[in-house]
Amino acid sequence: MVFSAGGRAVGIVAGVVADLMFGDPRRAHPVALFGTGAAAVERHSYSDSRAAGVAHTTGLLVAVAAVGALAEGVGGRRGALREAATVAAATFIALGGTTLCRTGEQMAGLLESGDINGARRLLPSLCGRDPAALDATGLTRAALESIAENTSDAQVSPIVWAAVGGTPAVLVYRAANTLDAMIGNRSPRYARFGWAAARFDDLANLAGARLTGVLVALCAPVVGGSPVAALRAWRRDAHKHPSPNAGVAEASFAGALGVRLGGPTQYAHELEIRPMLGDGRVPEVADLARAVRLSRAVQLAAVVVAVSVAGRSGRRVSPRR
């Protein structure tokens, strides 16, 4: 018996490199195609009940897991090569860190130049808040909070799942995250039907969000921040946030950047009064640019961690005779 540990690690690196080179596909993105399919299923499965939502979410995620398992396959050297290829493809599909940072840089540029209307048009690419209700300060905070949260959701968490579970795990993670975005909100239509999608997404992000918090603290000096302040804000403030995971990412970013996040948050269906995270000043456009740099550093550190984990968790395979 020999120990083959490289296939998954190689696949993760290849998927990350592809994301760095190309970002999110502009057309026929597999995640968008999944969303279209999920919406079609919902037209037949929807009922204003948790049970219907559990069935809808479970059925779609099991189907995605089966596709991932079939794609990855098993068996010997050929299996290791196939695993590397499928993990690379699945990781590329699941990642969104490059596009996140590019959009954050574009938002910072628009705000720096005073193009508020342009920034409002761009904001839906980052988050689901109502841009018409936001001035320059509100747009800056919304974009920074989105950079923080999605550093975990769009980069760290999918890399974690690719490392520990390969192709099926990372595809299920991305499908769950997509379902949460589609039906996990607390609007009247989805308060019960979307419950299962929201709870599963919370569970799927628990490890990734906390790894994000640790890496934010470690990388804080890259943007002139304090690791101690990042950890202090996480410990003191994260639990106040309505999300058990977004609170970790946003609080640690706030502490690392020396800013204060939270406050009135207007969505299409409701106004939320978010708790204050961090005890610094109101974020400025320069802080948004720093948040993008911090996100990039955290993303790179997460790749290093994931490759190490994948390398240690490789599977035993039999050599050809």
Side-chain angles (χ1 to χ4, degrees), residues 162-285:
V164 301
T167 302
V170 70
L171 290 181
V172 167
Y173 170 79
R174 180 47 68 204
N177 197 247
T178 303
L179 285 175
D180 179 54
M182 294 176 66
I183 65 174
N185 63 61
R186 290 185 243 174
S187 66
R189 175 178 172 84
Y190 293 125
R192 284 176 283 274
F193 184 75
W195 174 85
R199 298 291 77 76
F200 188 90
D201 184 69
D202 285 343
L203 290 173
N205 276 296
L206 282 174
R210 280 140 191 84
L211 177 59
T212 299
V214 171
L215 295 179
V216 166
L218 291 175
C219 295
V222 171
V223 293
S226 166
V228 173
L231 293 173
R232 182 172 60 242
W234 172 4
R235 180 179 180 181
R236 185 191 61 216
D237 299 332
H239 69 279
K240 303 173 186 175
H241 197 283
S243 166
N245 300 312
V248 174
E250 292 181 22
S252 58
F253 261 76
L257 296 169
V259 299
R260 182 174 69 252
L261 302 177
T265 304
Q266 181 67 58
Y267 292 96
H269 59 280
E270 65 178 340
L271 172 66
E272 293 185 8
I273 306 300
R274 294 284 179 85
M276 292 299 176
L277 308 176
D279 53 10
R281 51 188 166 71
V282 174
E284 301 172 354
V285 176

Side-chain angles (χ1 to χ4, degrees), residues 114-133:
D115 187 356
I116 302 302
N117 289 331
R120 285 173 175 157
R121 288 192 296 270
L122 183 62
L123 187 67
S125 299
L126 285 170
C127 61
R129 301 183 195 183
D130 181 5

